[in-house]
Amino acid sequence: MDSFSSPTMSSSGSPGDTEALMDQIKAQLAQAYAQEFLETVGNKCFAKCVTKPGSSLSGSESSCISRCVDRYIEATGIVSRALFSSSR
C-alpha cells in the first residue's frame, strides 16, 4: 500500500484524524522546506566564498560563509514577513 492509499486518508475519518493528518503534512512540508533551504544556502554560499576548495576552510572562507548564511537567513525572514503581513 502506498502513502496515497493509506487508511488515514479515508474520507470517513473523524475530525481528529483529519487534524492529525494535516499536522503530519505540515511537519513534512516544514522539514522539506528546511532541507531545501539549507541545501540552497550551502551551495550559494560555498560557491561565493570558497574560491580554492581544499581539505579545510581558511579563516576568511569560514567568515565569508558565516556572513553569507546570516544574510540569507535575514533576507528570507524579511521576505516571509512581508508576504505574510500583506496576505492578512
Side-chain angles (χ1 to χ4, degrees):
M1 185 182 308
D2 64 17
S3 62
F4 293 111
S5 61
S6 67
T8 59
M9 296 288 288
S10 70
S11 60
S12 62
S14 69
D17 290 344
T18 303
E19 189 173 321
L21 179 61
M22 291 301 292
D23 288 344
Q24 182 181 7
I25 291 170
K26 287 178 187 177
Q28 289 174 347
L29 285 172
Q31 183 178 5
Y33 174 76
Q35 183 176 358
E36 181 180 351
F37 177 80
L38 290 174
E39 286 177 24
T40 300
V41 170
N43 290 336
K44 287 180 185 273
C45 293
F46 185 86
K48 179 181 185 293
C49 297
V50 181
T51 56
K52 297 177 187 173
S55 61
S56 63
L57 295 174
S58 70
S60 61
E61 289 171 335
S62 181
S63 295
C64 178
I65 289 173
S66 180
R67 287 190 309 272
C68 178
V69 170
D70 288 345
R71 284 193 308 266
Y72 202 95
I73 290 171
E74 182 181 1
T76 302
I78 291 168
V79 170
S80 295
R81 283 190 298 275
L83 287 173
F84 288 121
S85 68
S86 67
S87 67
R88 290 181 180 186

